[in-house]
Amino acid sequence: MMKNLIVLLFFVLSTQLAAQKSPNFILIYADDLGYADTSVQMMDDDPSTKHDFIRTPGLDRLAKMGARFSAAYAPSPTCTASRLSLQFGKTTARIQYRNVFDVLSSKQRPDGYDDETTMGEMLKESGRNYVTAMFGKGASAMGRFDEAGYDDTDERPGEPGGNGNGHGSYWDPKKKTPFPPDNPKRLHSLRRDSVAFIRKYAGKQPFFLMVSHYAPHIPHMATKEAFERTKKRWIAEGRDTDKIDSPKSSAHRAITHAAMIEEMDQTVGDVLDALQEKGELEDTYLIFTSDNGGGASEKRKVNGENRRFNGPLQEGKRSIFEGGIRVPTVIAGPDIESGSQCDVPIVQWDFLPTFHDLSMSKAPLPEGVDGGSLREVFEKGNKGRVKRSAPGIIHHYPCHYHPPISSIIIGDYKLMRHLNSGELKLFNIKTDYREQNNLVPEMPGKVASMDSIRRNYVEEVDGGTIEQVRQALIDKMDEFTGNSREVFRKKLSKLEEDNPPDLEARKQAMLKQLNEKLIKNEINKEKSKRYVSSTSWRESPPKQDAEKAVMDRWVDVTE
């Protein structure tokens, strides 16, 4: 009798679960948007965590519906690594892609990432009938999204790398065709495609939509109407108007940047309207965030040193200080308290396991996922916790052209190790998110413990050392040099075979081009070698020194 009752109960629960509707997921991903580059105040107690000019009514509306995550992190301070990490739910150390132009990755991952599971593939395999879409900027190291679990994309045929930075600079990157005047950086086609997708599928089957904007990455662009509207407000507020109509002036650049972000924000408002129109607003998790810290940082001199700031946060894109990795993040959806602020640290590689959990997937979680589900944080706010496989929030950045830093966040504390000098910094980023009070002298035990945890994790996943990165850079430049020489030899052989009247002039032009490429490769090697002794936490060594050293010893190739 008891056995029959248990079987019946299991059957009833299974039936209810099967009948329960899976939610929709929408992820709006900005490119290089700083922590304080919107009109949403990310921290109630700090007015400097919102912009004093830029207006984002769509995001304001989303924040009133959901929660502002004041301590949300991108996986990397640069885009490609963040975009891969986001898709796979793993740290950049584990996926072995840590920064733009990661020269070590091709050695560690010669076969690429076809063996990894994207968010789109995970939801397609969930058994919950998801339809998926990705519009906008992709991740070149991953390839095309329409071959990685996404049913609908705006990728063009014949482009194996999918949508990259070039698609945010030109309408046709190959031909360098400019954007139509009414659609700079694809701001409005991305918005329209997103709304059309929602209208097509909302209410019919659960969906996942990723809208990956090219804004506000450089080059900054806006429609004429948006620029003039923003300029009018700029003048009305009594701001600097010196050379305001010159594209090179600081006022013109600031207005363009603001207008671009405000146009991007229209996507948020229109997506919310479309969900409301289809009656799906209550059944949708909508996330707005950025791939890394702000590229358009405020620059100031501090104790004679050049510093960048994103609101109250130090530094910006390319840095492991908070301004490079802490990003504006607003999330609304079922069980998330409206108008709230959540201070629990989260990271974008939490999104895949979160979607897996909330979708009620029938398939197991992909192997090796570092992130944890945010369900408890969504439901309980600051009382919630995230249970991750990783021992903390890891940012491993052994970069050959920016300060190489590896860090870990555990609880309220963030430990950073400079990979050249070995110098350590420790901050309580809950109370000192400006990172002004280095606690290393006061807390040696915590420093040793956190650094050991960080080091063990990086070694366990073969996250790469700065020495390996530098050698990979040298090998890559030598490979480029060899390829350039081979191309030259083939072209020269063909030229000599054709024996045109201007053979010698064309040969000299080819030699000039070859030498320019070889010199560039040598300069990159020289910069990397010189970087070994750099102990700066913020600046790269002056490239002019490396250029002079190479040119002083360079002898042109003549054959």
Side-chain angles (χ1 to χ4, degrees):
M1 180 70 177
M2 180 60 70
K3 182 178 179 181
N4 291 338
L5 184 62
I6 292 172
V7 170
L8 178 62
L9 182 61
F10 178 78
F11 175 77
V12 170
L13 290 173
S14 299
T15 303
Q16 288 177 340
L17 183 62
Q20 191 174 349
K21 181 182 178 183
S22 292
N24 310 307
F25 301 104
I26 297 177
L27 173 57
I28 301 176
Y29 211 42
D31 192 356
D32 290 3
L33 185 70
Y35 188 74
D37 279 349
T38 78
S39 54
V40 173
Q41 186 169 315
M42 294 307 302
M43 300 181 191
D44 288 331
D45 297 332
D46 190 344
S48 72
T49 59
K50 72 173 181 179
H51 204 274
D52 66 352
F53 179 70
I54 295 171
R55 299 291 174 262
T56 50
L59 195 58
D60 291 343
R61 180 178 164 194
L62 185 67
K64 289 177 182 177
M65 294 170 53
R68 292 158 290 125
F69 283 78
S70 67
Y73 291 91
S76 167
T78 55
C79 64
T80 309
S82 284
R83 291 164 187 276
L84 288 173
S85 174
L86 167 80
Q87 286 295 325
F88 304 143
K90 301 178 181 181
T91 68
T92 61
R94 187 184 292 277
I95 64 170
Q96 298 171 325
Y97 204 104
R98 292 133 294 224
N99 51 265
V100 173
F101 188 45
D102 189 319
V103 291
L104 183 58
S105 183
S106 60
K107 289 178 175 287
Q108 294 180 309
R109 293 283 187 121
D111 298 324
Y113 292 92
D114 288 346
D115 60 335
E116 298 286 356
T117 301
T118 67
M119 290 192 292
E121 289 168 330
M122 181 273 294
L123 287 170
K124 296 297 291 182
E125 295 165 5
S126 68
R128 308 301 296 184
N129 194 34
Y130 272 89
V131 61
T132 57
M134 208 294 287
F135 302 126
K137 183 175 175 177
S140 56
M142 194 183 91
R144 293 179 65 91
F145 276 67
D146 61 4
E147 298 173 356
Y150 290 86
D151 301 308
D152 195 358
T153 77
D154 59 354
E155 294 164 312
R156 299 181 180 207
E159 294 184 350
N163 295 341
N165 272 338
H167 294 77
S169 300
Y170 301 98
W171 183 249
D172 185 335
K174 291 182 179 179
K175 298 178 181 178
K176 295 192 174 180
T177 308
F179 291 107
D182 62 349
N183 192 24
K185 298 190 83 68
R186 305 176 196 269
L187 285 164
H188 299 294
S189 54
L190 285 172
R191 174 174 55 83
R192 290 190 293 267
D193 288 348
S194 303
V195 169
F197 177 82
I198 293 169
R199 287 175 175 162
K200 183 175 181 179
Y201 292 105
K204 298 175 183 176
Q205 63 186 107
F207 65 84
F208 169 43
L209 166 64
M210 181 168 177
V211 191
S212 185
H213 271 284
Y214 299 92
H217 192 289
I218 57 171
H220 295 169
M221 304 177 193
T223 62
K224 182 179 180 181
E225 293 78 12
F227 177 85
E228 293 299 330
R229 180 174 62 246
T230 310
K231 174 183 170 184
K232 184 177 179 180
R233 195 175 82 243
W234 179 275
I235 294 170
E237 292 184 12
R239 296 174 181 269
D240 173 33
T241 58
D242 184 41
K243 300 179 181 177
I244 195 169
D245 292 319
S246 169
K248 294 184 178 180
S249 73
S250 58
H252 194 284
R253 291 199 303 268
I255 292 167
T256 303
H257 182 245
M260 174 176 55
I261 291 174
E262 292 179 8
E263 288 198 275
M264 178 179 67
D265 176 71
Q266 292 176 25
T267 297
V268 182
D270 281 13
V271 161
L272 289 173
D273 288 344
L275 289 170
Q276 196 162 31
E277 171 192 314
K278 302 297 288 187
E280 288 291 302
L281 199 54
E282 302 300 321
D283 294 318
T284 302
Y285 289 93
L286 201 163
I287 301 172
F288 178 95
T289 189
S290 177
D291 63 349
N292 48 250
S297 308
E298 180 189 352
K299 296 173 179 62
R300 299 181 219 152
K301 280 269 189 184
V302 179
N303 298 325
E305 185 180 32
N306 290 323
R307 296 278 186 89
R308 297 180 296 149
F309 291 87
N310 272 264
L313 307 181
Q314 286 199 48
E315 297 300 312
K317 179 179 181 177
R318 306 182 301 276
S319 174
I320 298 296
F321 281 95
E322 291 293 279
I325 54 177
R326 191 185 289 217
V327 289
T329 301
V330 180
I331 306 177
D335 299 318
I336 298 176
E337 183 182 356
S338 60
S340 61
Q341 175 183 317
C342 183
D343 303 317
V344 176
I346 67 171
V347 64
Q348 288 169 11
W349 31 271
D350 290 330
F351 292 165
L352 183 145
T354 300
F355 292 178
H356 181 272
D357 179 12
L358 296 174
S359 67
M360 300 171 290
S361 176
K362 299 176 183 178
L365 190 68
E367 291 185 8
V369 167
D370 284 298
S373 174
L374 300 177
R375 177 191 288 271
E376 189 176 313
V377 175
F378 288 172
E379 295 174 351
K380 299 181 181 179
N382 286 317
K383 294 181 180 179
R385 292 293 175 265
V386 185
K387 298 174 183 176
R388 302 183 180 92
S389 298
I393 296 178
I394 310 279
H395 288 96
H396 186 57
Y397 195 62
C399 188
H400 60 86
Y401 53 89
H402 296 143
I405 297 169
S406 186
S407 77
I408 184 169
I409 296 169
I410 300 177
D412 296 340
Y413 292 91
K414 172 183 174 183
L415 178 94
M416 305 164 70
R417 172 179 281 274
H418 196 294
L419 298 176
N420 281 349
S421 67
E423 184 183 358
L424 295 162
K425 292 182 184 290
L426 178 70
F427 300 101
N428 182 331
I429 51 173
K430 184 176 180 65
T431 58
D432 181 28
Y433 48 83
R434 290 176 171 82
E435 294 174 297
Q436 295 175 327
N437 184 22
N438 185 4
L439 299 173
V440 166
E442 301 168 33
M443 307 180 76
K446 181 170 282 294
V447 168
S449 172
M450 289 182 69
D451 195 39
S452 175
I453 293 169
R454 179 204 60 79
R455 182 179 62 253
N456 290 341
Y457 173 84
V458 171
E459 290 176 354
E460 177 191 329
V461 301
D462 193 15
T465 67
I466 187 59
E467 291 78 16
Q468 288 176 309
V469 169
R470 290 200 180 99
Q471 186 58 53
L473 184 280
I474 291 170
D475 294 345
K476 181 65 70 175
M477 292 303 106
D478 288 343
E479 178 188 335
F480 286 174
T481 291
N483 291 343
S484 294
R485 285 178 177 272
E486 182 63 25
V487 169
F488 170 78
R489 282 193 291 267
K490 288 181 178 180
K491 286 184 176 181
L492 180 60
S493 177
K494 179 68 168 59
L495 185 67
E496 290 175 337
E497 182 182 326
D498 294 343
N499 194 27
D502 59 346
L503 187 150
E504 190 58 34
R506 290 171 66 175
K507 177 182 176 181
Q508 292 305 314
M510 288 169 55
L511 280 167
K512 181 182 178 183
Q513 187 179 52
L514 173 64
N515 278 290
E516 287 172 352
K517 291 180 179 179
L518 302 191
I519 289 170
K520 181 179 179 182
N521 296 340
E522 286 303 308
I523 289 173
N524 283 334
K525 289 165 61 175
E526 184 67 25
K527 285 194 295 186
S528 182
K529 291 174 183 176
R530 286 169 175 264
Y531 215 172
V532 175
S533 59
S534 174
T535 59
S536 172
W537 287 80
R538 295 178 173 84
E539 300 292 336
S540 304
K543 66 178 182 178
Q544 292 85 352
D545 294 347
E547 291 171 350
K548 184 177 185 305
V550 169
M551 295 312 297
D552 284 349
R553 65 174 185 259
W554 183 257
V555 177
D556 275 349
V557 173
T558 57
E559 290 292 341

